[in-house]
Amino acid sequence: MDYVVEMLDIRKEFPGIIANNNVTVQLKKGEIHALLGENGAGKSTLMNVLFGLYQPEKGEIRVRGEQVKITDPNVANDLGIGMVHQHFMLIDTFTVTQNIILGSEPTVGGKINIKKAEKEIQELSDQYGLRVDPRAKVRDISVGMQQRVEILKTLYRGADVLILDEPTAVLTPQEIDELIDIMKSLVKEGKSIILITHKLKEIMRACDRCTVIRKGEGIGTVNVADTNTTELATMMVGRSISFETEKSQAKPQDTILKINDLVVKDSRKLEAVKGLDLEVRAGEIVGIAGIDGNGQTELIEAVTGLTKSESGSIKLRDKEIMNLSPRKVTESGLAHIPQDRHKYGLVLDVSIGENMVLQTYYQKPFSKWSILNYKEIFKKAETLIDEYDVRTPTIHTKARALSGGNQQKAIISREVDRSPDILIAAQPTRGLDVGAIEFIHNRLIEERDKGKAILLISFELDEILDLSDKIAVMFDGKIVATRKPEETSEQEIGLLMAGSNQGKAGVE
């Protein structure tokens, strides 16, 4: 069998942890090959070895049959290997073209030839159906379009092998469909793709073969056509997984959060939330469904005190909290799982132990007379890390060093542990594997059953339908319809999210 890339018995170690233990992955030319595993299983580490960001302690890499030593990403690029990282590496104030050519600028007479680069990028974009405007500034384009820019960046450098690290983690359902079409178009043109993921449905839709890694060990490689999501999940986590959250009928009580006629502007000073009304009661989960960019972010930031509202009212147990500081909002009984864990959820260069008390470090028993009590801080951290299975070498490890999924579990453990009156859960399972998703969903249901109010914002329609007791559809800054999950469908909610039948949809 001819393989375009072979990673044979790769071993990669870090202080106190074996990230990859003799793992083998073999990529055929013209296939989409999934690399599947739990958070922290070693998927990204293995691909960082292939891209030259890490050097393995043991093992062999072959590219097109030749043994190679990939000492840095430049060597990987020369071998035709490109990588699109989970967190994009783009400069907001640069144009698409400037980002793509950075480090590989075409010059004429010592000057960068932008026109030539724009023409080449437009041709590449057209060839692969990416539909990217080379002249647009990155800050003005959607997250899905930014990802296409990252893909174009690898193609511009001549990549035949593309590594996509959790590419759908930040995409809407529509953007995911488009990305799968793009991947299939790329392999038709002779490219080969390694897709790092833990989303089983996407593997079934897009991939030819799948290699599973569990806790740094290679479990096996299977043909996707010969397996199913249940078998893949069992391979990934080592136990059977329930894909449906079991929950009893909700018993809503008093209104906890009441929003009336709320108006919030975005960073461009345009109205993003336009006279929105919403209620969340104790003992229920209200899920907000909507395509990204319809005011969800601004709504969350207004409720949590991260941005100022223009007008309206936000009441928590009849207390006005609109335009209070984030700390005062938090002390009023609100907890927040932010959709951007790096920007709002963690201090990345501080230990994971200290991150566990970010909301309470100034309170007893974690401090006294403004002096931190690290014994109590780390005692609490160890309890939460154990309870939520946050995989970290030690409590002193910097938050930055944890996998995305384990960072997310740390945030969720911290916020839920405070037992708030209302929990704002924005993309709570973004970047998590099926085992972790099952765990988090069960914790949210437990909090609901304890009489807590939960406002869930998710781009995953399956998650909205599975968890919510009431679904509120958000379009163009307003709630345009509410539905009970058992009385609607993914198709109806999808149409409402896109604005279809908006005028007659109504609010139930």
Side-chain angles (χ1 to χ4, degrees):
M1 175 67 70
D2 290 330
Y3 296 105
V4 65
V5 168
E6 294 176 89
M7 302 184 75
L8 306 173
D9 296 323
I10 300 296
R11 183 181 178 89
K12 178 60 194 168
E13 300 174 14
F14 297 104
I17 189 168
I18 300 171
N20 299 134
N21 189 16
N22 303 332
V23 180
T24 292
V25 176
Q26 295 170 303
L27 176 68
K28 295 178 183 178
K29 181 175 173 59
E31 77 167 343
I32 303 175
H33 190 119
L35 191 59
L36 174 66
E38 291 182 275
N39 303 118
K43 308 182 297 293
S44 295
T45 298
L46 186 66
M47 290 301 100
N48 283 332
V49 168
L50 179 58
F51 194 55
L53 291 169
Y54 296 147
Q55 298 305 304
E57 276 66 47
K58 180 189 166 194
E60 182 180 317
I61 298 175
R62 292 179 174 271
V63 177
R64 300 174 193 88
E66 301 264 331
Q67 186 173 346
V68 297
K69 187 169 179 61
I70 305 177
T71 53
D72 60 55
N74 289 327
V75 174
N77 285 329
D78 291 342
L79 290 166
I81 299 169
M83 186 168 183
V84 177
H85 299 271
Q86 183 175 0
H87 299 288
F88 304 152
M89 298 183 179
L90 300 172
I91 300 171
D92 277 359
T93 54
F94 279 17
T95 66
V96 167
T97 297
Q98 288 169 327
N99 271 282
I100 289 172
I101 67 175
L102 193 60
S104 303
E105 296 89 346
T107 57
V108 174
K111 292 184 178 180
I112 298 173
N113 190 340
I114 285 287
K115 294 295 182 188
K116 179 175 182 288
E118 285 178 350
K119 185 172 182 291
E120 290 176 358
I121 290 163
Q122 187 67 64
E123 289 171 354
L124 271 176
S125 176
D126 293 343
Q127 180 181 351
Y128 295 105
L130 293 167
R131 303 194 305 278
V132 171
D133 178 1
R135 297 169 190 81
K137 287 200 172 178
V138 164
R139 68 185 177 200
D140 296 328
I141 61 178
S142 69
V143 172
M145 197 60 71
Q146 288 178 31
Q147 186 172 73
R148 297 182 191 195
V149 174
E150 289 280 20
I151 292 172
L152 266 176
K153 197 194 296 184
T154 67
L155 297 174
Y156 182 78
R157 284 160 174 74
D160 291 316
V161 173
L162 279 73
I163 305 163
L164 306 182
D165 189 357
E166 299 285 1
T168 64
V170 294
L171 301 186
T172 64
Q174 290 81 358
E175 287 172 330
I176 291 170
D177 291 341
E178 290 170 359
L179 177 64
I180 289 173
D181 289 341
I182 287 166
M183 288 193 292
K184 290 180 176 179
S185 171
L186 286 166
V187 296
K188 282 181 184 176
E189 294 278 346
K191 309 296 182 185
S192 307
I193 296 173
I194 297 177
L195 175 68
I196 304 174
T197 188
H198 50 250
K199 292 191 175 181
L200 302 177
K201 285 185 178 180
E202 289 164 20
I203 291 175
M204 300 305 297
R205 287 174 59 193
C207 298
D208 302 294
R209 293 191 304 147
C210 177
T211 295
V212 181
I213 301 177
R214 188 195 313 152
K215 295 181 180 178
E217 305 268 355
I219 301 301
T221 299
V222 296
N223 291 318
V224 171
D226 299 331
T227 189
N228 56 52
T229 55
T230 302
E231 290 177 359
L232 288 175
T234 302
M235 288 178 72
M236 177 168 64
V237 301
R239 62 181 176 85
S240 60
I241 291 288
S242 172
F243 290 98
E244 291 188 6
T245 305
E246 292 185 11
K247 62 177 183 178
S248 58
Q249 188 74 27
K251 298 173 182 175
Q253 300 159 32
D254 297 340
T255 297
I256 301 296
L257 181 71
K258 187 170 185 176
I259 302 172
N260 285 119
D261 202 22
L262 185 67
V263 176
V264 186
K265 290 185 178 179
D266 62 19
S267 58
R268 298 170 296 172
K269 305 301 180 187
L270 300 174
E271 284 191 4
V273 178
K274 305 173 180 178
L276 180 139
D277 296 315
L278 184 68
E279 286 190 17
V280 187
R281 294 178 292 174
E284 75 172 352
I285 298 175
V286 174
I288 292 186
I291 297 169
D292 191 16
N294 278 275
Q296 299 97 317
T297 297
E298 290 79 9
L299 172 63
I300 297 163
E301 292 181 352
V303 172
T304 56
L306 290 169
T307 194
K308 297 292 183 185
S309 303
E310 297 299 309
S311 60
S313 172
I314 306 172
K315 289 186 177 179
L316 179 54
R317 286 197 180 276
D318 294 325
K319 177 187 175 184
E320 184 62 63
I321 63 169
M322 190 174 80
N323 293 339
L324 293 183
S325 70
R327 175 175 285 188
K328 287 190 179 297
V329 170
T330 296
E331 290 174 343
S332 298
L334 181 144
H336 177 208
I337 300 167
Q339 60 183 349
D340 188 334
R341 54 179 168 257
H342 286 178
K343 190 173 182 180
Y344 296 118
L346 298 164
V347 180
L348 292 172
D349 289 315
V350 165
S351 75
I352 193 62
E354 290 165 295
N355 270 282
M356 290 300 200
V357 296
L358 280 185
Q359 301 278 34
T360 50
Y361 69 90
Y362 59 94
Q363 299 171 350
K364 292 181 179 180
F366 307 123
S367 72
K368 188 175 182 181
W369 298 315
S370 299
I371 297 172
L372 294 175
N373 184 339
Y374 278 98
K375 182 181 177 181
E376 289 295 330
I377 287 171
F378 291 138
K379 180 181 174 183
K380 167 59 75 173
E382 285 176 341
T383 300
L384 292 177
I385 285 168
D386 181 60
E387 185 179 350
Y388 281 77
D389 190 28
V390 181
R391 295 180 188 177
T392 176
T394 74
I395 57 173
H396 304 292
T397 301
K398 287 184 179 181
R400 184 183 299 281
L402 273 63
S403 70
N406 282 300
Q407 291 173 349
Q408 188 78 341
K409 285 196 281 185
I411 294 167
I412 290 169
S413 71
R414 180 187 71 210
E415 298 302 312
V416 171
D417 181 68
R418 290 174 41 237
S419 193
D421 290 330
I422 183 161
L423 176 63
I424 309 295
Q427 318 299 341
T429 60
R430 173 180 284 176
L432 271 64
D433 58 69
V434 289
I437 289 170
E438 179 189 50
F439 178 82
I440 297 305
H441 283 182
N442 287 335
R443 292 312 291 255
L444 292 176
I445 295 296
E446 283 177 23
E447 289 302 299
R448 181 203 74 165
D449 292 345
K450 289 176 185 174
K452 307 301 180 183
I454 297 173
L455 180 60
L456 170 69
I457 299 94
S458 177
F459 298 140
E460 302 285 348
L461 268 184
D462 286 350
E463 183 166 67
I464 290 286
L465 288 161
D466 196 28
L467 283 184
S468 303
D469 301 305
K470 182 170 69 178
I471 299 170
V473 182
M474 195 164 177
F475 175 76
D476 194 27
K478 294 181 179 180
I479 301 300
V480 295
T482 60
R483 294 286 186 270
K484 293 180 179 178
E486 63 272 20
E487 295 173 1
T488 187
S489 65
E490 188 170 326
Q491 291 75 20
E492 185 192 16
I493 297 296
L495 286 170
L496 290 166
M497 285 165 56
S500 177
N501 298 323
Q502 177 193 347
K504 58 186 179 183
V507 178
E508 291 182 352

